[in-house]
PDB file of all heavy atoms in Angstrom:
ATOM      1  N   PHE A  83      80.581 109.139 104.546  1.00 97.00           N
ATOM      2  CA  PHE A  83      79.228 108.776 104.983  1.00 97.00           C
ATOM      3  C   PHE A  83      78.683 109.830 105.936  1.00 97.00           C
ATOM      4  O   PHE A  83      79.420 110.318 106.809  1.00 97.00           O
ATOM      5  CB  PHE A  83      79.248 107.434 105.722  1.00 97.00           C
ATOM      6  CG  PHE A  83      79.765 106.313 104.869  1.00 97.00           C
ATOM      7  CD1 PHE A  83      81.132 106.088 104.760  1.00 97.00           C
ATOM      8  CD2 PHE A  83      78.894 105.524 104.142  1.00 97.00           C
ATOM      9  CE1 PHE A  83      81.620 105.078 103.953  1.00 97.00           C
ATOM     10  CE2 PHE A  83      79.369 104.512 103.330  1.00 97.00           C
ATOM     11  CZ  PHE A  83      80.735 104.292 103.234  1.00 97.00           C
ATOM     12  N   GLU A  84      77.421 110.137 105.772  1.00 95.00           N
ATOM     13  CA  GLU A  84      76.711 110.924 106.767  1.00 95.00           C
ATOM     14  C   GLU A  84      76.146 109.908 107.757  1.00 95.00           C
ATOM     15  O   GLU A  84      75.400 109.002 107.353  1.00 95.00           O
ATOM     16  CB  GLU A  84      75.582 111.683 106.059  1.00 95.00           C
ATOM     17  CG  GLU A  84      74.859 112.625 106.932  1.00 95.00           C
ATOM     18  CD  GLU A  84      73.724 113.300 106.165  1.00 95.00           C
ATOM     19  OE1 GLU A  84      73.693 113.246 104.923  1.00 95.00           O
ATOM     20  OE2 GLU A  84      72.854 113.845 106.839  1.00 95.00           O
ATOM     21  N   VAL A  85      76.507 110.016 109.029  1.00 96.00           N
ATOM     22  CA  VAL A  85      76.094 109.007 110.013  1.00 96.00           C
ATOM     23  C   VAL A  85      74.675 109.306 110.478  1.00 96.00           C
ATOM     24  O   VAL A  85      74.367 110.410 110.917  1.00 96.00           O
ATOM     25  CB  VAL A  85      77.080 108.968 111.204  1.00 96.00           C
ATOM     26  CG1 VAL A  85      76.588 108.005 112.283  1.00 96.00           C
ATOM     27  CG2 VAL A  85      78.474 108.552 110.727  1.00 96.00           C
ATOM     28  N   LEU A  86      73.804 108.303 110.365  1.00 95.00           N
ATOM     29  CA  LEU A  86      72.397 108.467 110.741  1.00 95.00           C
ATOM     30  C   LEU A  86      72.115 107.884 112.118  1.00 95.00           C
ATOM     31  O   LEU A  86      71.172 108.293 112.794  1.00 95.00           O
ATOM     32  CB  LEU A  86      71.508 107.765 109.714  1.00 95.00           C
ATOM     33  CG  LEU A  86      71.771 108.183 108.264  1.00 95.00           C
ATOM     34  CD1 LEU A  86      71.044 107.266 107.322  1.00 95.00           C
ATOM     35  CD2 LEU A  86      71.350 109.619 108.049  1.00 95.00           C
ATOM     36  N   ALA A  87      72.906 106.885 112.518  1.00 96.00           N
ATOM     37  CA  ALA A  87      72.697 106.263 113.822  1.00 96.00           C
ATOM     38  C   ALA A  87      73.990 105.557 114.210  1.00 96.00           C
ATOM     39  O   ALA A  87      74.794 105.199 113.347  1.00 96.00           O
ATOM     40  CB  ALA A  87      71.554 105.251 113.739  1.00 96.00           C
ATOM     41  N   ARG A  88      74.213 105.402 115.506  1.00 96.00           N
ATOM     42  CA  ARG A  88      75.385 104.647 115.980  1.00 96.00           C
ATOM     43  C   ARG A  88      74.974 103.794 117.167  1.00 96.00           C
ATOM     44  O   ARG A  88      73.998 104.106 117.861  1.00 96.00           O
ATOM     45  CB  ARG A  88      76.530 105.593 116.345  1.00 96.00           C
ATOM     46  CG  ARG A  88      76.160 106.618 117.383  1.00 96.00           C
ATOM     47  CD  ARG A  88      77.139 107.761 117.433  1.00 96.00           C
ATOM     48  NE  ARG A  88      78.322 107.430 118.198  1.00 96.00           N
ATOM     49  CZ  ARG A  88      79.139 108.350 118.718  1.00 96.00           C
ATOM     50  NH1 ARG A  88      78.906 109.642 118.529  1.00 96.00           N
ATOM     51  NH2 ARG A  88      80.191 108.001 119.395  1.00 96.00           N
ATOM     52  N   ALA A  89      75.699 102.721 117.367  1.00 97.00           N
ATOM     53  CA  ALA A  89      75.362 101.792 118.452  1.00 97.00           C
ATOM     54  C   ALA A  89      76.647 101.121 118.913  1.00 97.00           C
ATOM     55  O   ALA A  89      77.594 100.998 118.132  1.00 97.00           O
ATOM     56  CB  ALA A  89      74.377 100.744 117.921  1.00 97.00           C
ATOM     57  N   PRO A  90      76.686 100.666 120.173  1.00 97.00           N
ATOM     58  CA  PRO A  90      77.892  99.982 120.651  1.00 97.00           C
ATOM     59  C   PRO A  90      78.157  98.727 119.816  1.00 97.00           C
ATOM     60  O   PRO A  90      77.212  98.059 119.388  1.00 97.00           O
ATOM     61  CB  PRO A  90      77.554  99.599 122.092  1.00 97.00           C
ATOM     62  CG  PRO A  90      76.368 100.414 122.462  1.00 97.00           C
ATOM     63  CD  PRO A  90      75.640 100.749 121.206  1.00 97.00           C
TER      64      PRO A  90
END
Side-chain angles (χ1 to χ4, degrees):
F83 300 84
E84 186 182 345
V85 175
L86 307 169
R88 57 197 279 200

